[in-house]
Amino acid sequence: MAEAKKAVKPSVKAKANAYWATGRRKKAIARVRLVPNGKGTITINKKDIDEYFDHETLKYIVRQPLELTENQTKFDIFVNVDGGGYTGQAGAIRLGIARALVLSEENLKPELKKAGFLTRDSRMKERKKYGLKKARKAPQFSKR
């Protein structure tokens, strides 16, 4: 009789050696995965960082934790980011990368903390109030 073939499962080790972290800013949520022994590529929503972000400042914000800890070429970074605008997304990715770096090497925490990369920026958009045009902007007053 013919033997039944076993289904080949994906390697668990490939997932075990990656470091996962989440970063948030405004309405943006970034799920970051750091894969060691990489070439330093940063992939955001299946696009290269240069393709995803137009402005150099946003690319700089994302790379800040890597440059501070001198880990630009040690990891490949894969990011899924959702919500918010580009600035909020860049801030969320930076927080996620910093948190993942701390998971990879605990001794990086003091220098990342001192630079402020591990602090969640809790500022959110203020809600609109009844009778106003925006959160605080009132309609123009008319005397007559």
Side-chain angles (χ1 to χ4, degrees):
M1 286 215 233
E3 292 180 22
K5 289 186 177 181
K6 292 183 179 178
V8 178
K9 293 183 180 178
S11 174
V12 178
K13 288 184 178 181
K15 291 185 179 182
N17 68 353
Y19 302 99
W20 289 86
T22 304
R24 292 183 187 88
R25 180 157 191 318
K26 294 188 176 183
K27 291 280 183 181
I29 299 171
R31 292 177 308 235
V32 177
R33 183 175 57 148
L34 256 64
V35 180
N37 304 327
K39 296 176 183 155
T41 60
I42 300 174
T43 307
I44 303 169
N45 291 349
K46 298 180 182 175
K47 293 182 184 177
D48 188 55
I49 186 170
D50 296 320
E51 197 179 328
Y52 193 79
F53 288 127
D54 293 335
H55 299 289
E56 289 299 319
T57 49
L58 298 177
K59 295 175 199 174
Y60 173 74
I61 287 170
V62 169
R63 292 186 177 118
Q64 276 179 319
L66 297 168
E67 290 173 4
L68 180 72
T69 58
E70 298 173 2
N71 285 322
Q72 293 99 322
T73 57
K74 291 182 183 176
F75 297 100
D76 280 341
I77 300 169
F78 299 95
V79 181
N80 283 342
V81 66
D82 187 39
Y86 286 121
T87 308
Q89 288 183 354
I93 293 168
R94 179 175 75 176
L95 178 61
I97 290 172
R99 286 179 173 174
L101 283 170
V102 170
L103 290 176
S104 69
E105 293 180 54
E106 190 66 34
N107 61 344
L108 298 175
K109 188 172 182 174
E111 97 183 280
L112 287 168
K113 182 94 172 153
K114 186 178 178 190
F117 298 150
L118 293 176
T119 305
R120 158 66 155 108
D121 190 349
S122 62
R123 294 176 294 172
M124 299 291 277
K125 185 174 179 176
E126 191 175 342
R127 76 172 204 83
K128 183 191 175 296
K129 275 74 167 195
Y130 170 78
L132 302 180
K133 290 181 181 280
K134 297 195 307 187
R136 299 185 184 204
K137 183 179 180 177
Q140 185 175 346
F141 176 74
S142 174
K143 201 170 202 178
R144 291 176 190 88

